[in-house]
Amino acid sequence: MALVVGIDARAAAEVPAGRGRYVRELLAALAALPEAGDVRFRLYARERWSGAELDERFSWALSSLPDPLWHLAAALRASRECDVFLSTNSYLTVWATRIPAAIVVYDLVPWTVPQFAQAPSARIERATIGPALRRAAALLCISEATRADLVRLFPATAQRASVVALGADAAFAGARAGEVPARHGLDGPYVLAVGTLEPRKNLERLVSAWTFLDPAVRERHTLALVGPRGWDDAPILAAAHAAGAKLLGRVSDADLAALYAGCAAFCYPSLYEGFGLPVLEAMLAGAAVVTADNSSLPEVGGDAALQVDARDTGAIAAALGRVLSDAALAQRMREAGRAQAATFSWARTASQTLGALRAIARQP
């Protein structure tokens, strides 16, 4: 009898980046996974996502109920229809499941860096995590750093917590800049930063570091910020405008890949990341990467990226200055970055996720 896997797939259609990208990439990778041929996937959501070709093994179970009723209804329905459940976007759904369940743990921001958590979402996570961790049969952490935070904060999870790292879309590997930068107003060399405009991404400090660079370097380059507006973004916007940085807003995945491929350097000085997917994507596209030395970022960048103290404006500026003034170094970093990025893949993410779900489904 085929294994039936229930998945919270809401984020595929509802969330443009972050968890939305995770769910979209996971579904596409599961559809292509050789060992998933005998598996049926039941996708619980409010609206269908049609961005990838999902075959007859995938079916949608849609409900327009608001939270928290959606979670209760999805959990009860999955408990009747599935053998195992993967919770990708909430701790709450697992409260009501009556089948083995795994939770994807992205980060522990409300506990590790609470000053960078939005208050409403932090309150929800704090209120819902306890029963969910006790109920879950498996906890799939997206990095070693996230697992370490989870086990430190909740020691009883140690035996059930494993690492299932993310990947980057193979399309990034073949990216070419083409006319995309010019279409976004970038007519010369540029330094790229990607992320929602919010305090945790440390973009205000990056802009400050930019002003520390040699004026001749800044004269030859543009600082370009890609990402939607977030919370408490007024200081970031003010600093960017004062420094002459270009704010490109949200761009398509295809344009993002081209922007990675064409940049003189990519800088991601975040103050905390559960994984830091833009670092992986940028390396795969051939960018020379400067990133932070905290949380999961050293795992992702490895020796291929220049790692700096994200709270040290001078260190960020110095690293950028090195890359922008040393063409040989930048080329070595691009080559090393591609090799580092190749050690991650969504196929591996999907395979390890399915393996974990099979294992808990067999538990008595």
Side-chain angles (χ1 to χ4, degrees), residues 269-308:
S270 178
L271 294 164
Y272 178 94
E273 290 293 323
F275 185 82
L277 189 55
V279 169
L280 186 61
E281 293 173 342
M283 291 192 303
L284 192 59
V289 174
V290 175
T291 192
D293 62 3
N294 65 64
S295 57
S296 63
L297 295 168
E299 293 176 53
V300 180
D303 294 334
L306 289 185
Q307 299 173 21
V308 300

Side-chain angles (χ1 to χ4, degrees), residues 176-193:
R176 298 291 182 271
E179 47 73 40
V180 172
R183 179 153 47 79
H184 286 281
L186 301 171
D187 297 317
Y190 60 95
V191 171
L192 185 68

Side-chain angles (χ1 to χ4, degrees), residues 42-330:
R42 192 78 168 132
L43 308 179
Y44 296 86
R46 290 193 178 91
E47 57 183 296
R48 188 185 304 266
W49 172 64
S50 57
E53 293 187 12
L54 304 179
D55 57 37
E56 68 280 355
R57 292 170 299 156
F58 295 81
S59 62
W60 291 86
L62 303 180
S63 168
S64 60
L65 288 170
D67 293 344
L69 292 177
W70 186 93
H71 299 277
L72 176 61
L76 294 177
R77 189 171 179 182
S79 297
R80 296 192 304 267
E81 299 174 344
C82 305
D83 300 308
V84 65
F85 186 79
L86 179 65
S87 183
T88 65
N89 200 29
S90 175
Y91 293 117
L92 185 56
T93 321
V94 173
W95 283 27
T97 54
R98 295 298 178 262
I99 53 176
I103 298 173
V104 180
V105 183
Y106 298 94
D107 59 56
L108 282 300
V109 167
W111 292 267
T112 54
V113 283
Q115 68 273 29
F116 299 130
Q118 292 190 65
S121 60
R123 283 195 298 269
I124 292 170
E125 287 196 40
R126 287 181 175 275
T128 57
I129 195 171
L133 294 182
R134 291 191 292 273
R135 172 70 185 83
L139 300 159
L140 310 183
C141 304
I142 65 172
S143 66
E144 293 284 356
T146 292
R147 185 186 184 279
D149 286 341
L150 178 68
V151 172
R152 175 175 54 83
L153 291 162
F154 304 96
T157 64
Q159 296 303 311
R160 292 171 290 137
S162 62
V163 177
V164 179
L166 308 187
D169 188 331
F172 287 102
R176 298 291 182 271
E179 47 73 40
V180 172
R183 179 153 47 79
H184 286 281
L186 301 171
D187 297 317
Y190 60 95
V191 171
L192 185 68
V194 172
T196 301
L197 305 186
E198 62 177 58
R200 179 166 58 90
K201 300 302 181 181
N202 205 27
L203 295 171
E204 187 178 359
R205 188 174 276 114
L206 169 59
V207 173
S208 179
W210 180 255
T211 66
F212 283 19
L213 288 173
D214 185 313
V217 173
R218 282 190 283 118
E219 181 69 24
R220 293 193 303 270
H221 297 83
T222 300
L223 176 62
L225 309 182
V226 168
R229 293 190 60 175
W231 67 283
D232 195 18
D233 60 2
I236 302 168
L237 294 171
H241 287 305
K246 281 191 174 292
L247 295 163
L248 306 188
R250 193 190 303 279
V251 303
S252 69
D253 287 352
D255 280 13
L256 178 60
L259 291 169
Y260 283 141
C263 69
F266 174 72
C267 192
Y268 196 77
S270 178
L271 294 164
Y272 178 94
E273 290 293 323
F275 185 82
L277 189 55
V279 169
L280 186 61
E281 293 173 342
M283 291 192 303
L284 192 59
V289 174
V290 175
T291 192
D293 62 3
N294 65 64
S295 57
S296 63
L297 295 168
E299 293 176 53
V300 180
D303 294 334
L306 289 185
Q307 299 173 21
V308 300
D309 180 350
R311 297 181 182 277
D312 186 336
T313 305
I316 298 170
L320 279 176
R322 286 183 62 195
V323 177
L324 297 177
S325 61
D326 188 335
L329 171 64

Side-chain angles (χ1 to χ4, degrees), residues 312-364:
D312 186 336
T313 305
I316 298 170
L320 279 176
R322 286 183 62 195
V323 177
L324 297 177
S325 61
D326 188 335
L329 171 64
Q331 183 58 31
R332 290 196 301 272
M333 290 176 64
R334 293 186 184 99
E335 293 169 359
R338 288 191 180 97
Q340 170 71 3
T343 65
F344 297 82
S345 75
W346 284 112
R348 186 180 69 175
T349 306
S351 180
Q352 291 178 340
T353 300
L354 182 58
L357 293 171
R358 286 190 190 276
I360 64 174
R362 289 195 296 265
Q363 292 178 358

